[in-house]
Amino acid sequence: MILRESIETAYCFLHQKQRVFEYSTMDWQRDDIEVAIASYVDDMPQELFDLLSQGRPDFLTNHSRFGADMKEAVARLEEIIGI
């Protein structure tokens, strides 16, 4: 069972980082966000990660898909929360 608190925390963190990532023009800032998200994913409850990743083990950690994965994760969390 995934706690609502875990879902809301993930949403707040990912949404904020996704917004900064989307509009940032600084490579170092975008790289820092990727590192922060990868670290967060390592500590995320496995059930929540499984729900968001839909079976992709490199979800939110693959550099070439990172931006798209962030948008997808935020959209799924918004659906779950009901935003």
Side-chain angles (χ1 to χ4, degrees):
M1 182 173 141
I2 305 169
L3 298 176
R4 181 152 183 96
E5 179 181 291
S6 294
I7 295 167
E8 290 173 351
T9 300
Y11 174 73
C12 290
F13 185 69
L14 294 175
H15 181 265
Q16 187 248 0
K17 296 298 182 195
Q18 190 265 332
R19 290 292 184 190
V20 174
F21 185 86
E22 183 176 6
Y23 295 105
S24 178
T25 59
M26 297 174 277
D27 289 338
W28 65 266
Q29 186 177 43
R30 292 169 67 95
D31 290 343
D32 284 354
I33 290 170
E34 284 190 55
V35 170
I37 296 299
S39 177
Y40 183 78
V41 165
D42 286 343
D43 294 331
M44 180 183 287
Q46 189 62 46
E47 288 180 7
L48 180 55
F49 179 76
D50 292 344
L51 179 67
L52 296 177
S53 69
Q54 296 187 343
R56 288 183 284 163
D58 65 346
F59 188 71
L60 294 171
T61 60
N62 180 322
H63 177 74
S64 64
R65 288 202 35 85
F66 183 75
D69 285 355
M70 285 283 289
K71 286 182 182 180
E72 188 176 326
V74 169
R76 279 203 191 105
L77 288 165
E78 287 175 345
E79 287 176 17
I80 293 166
I81 294 171
I83 295 176

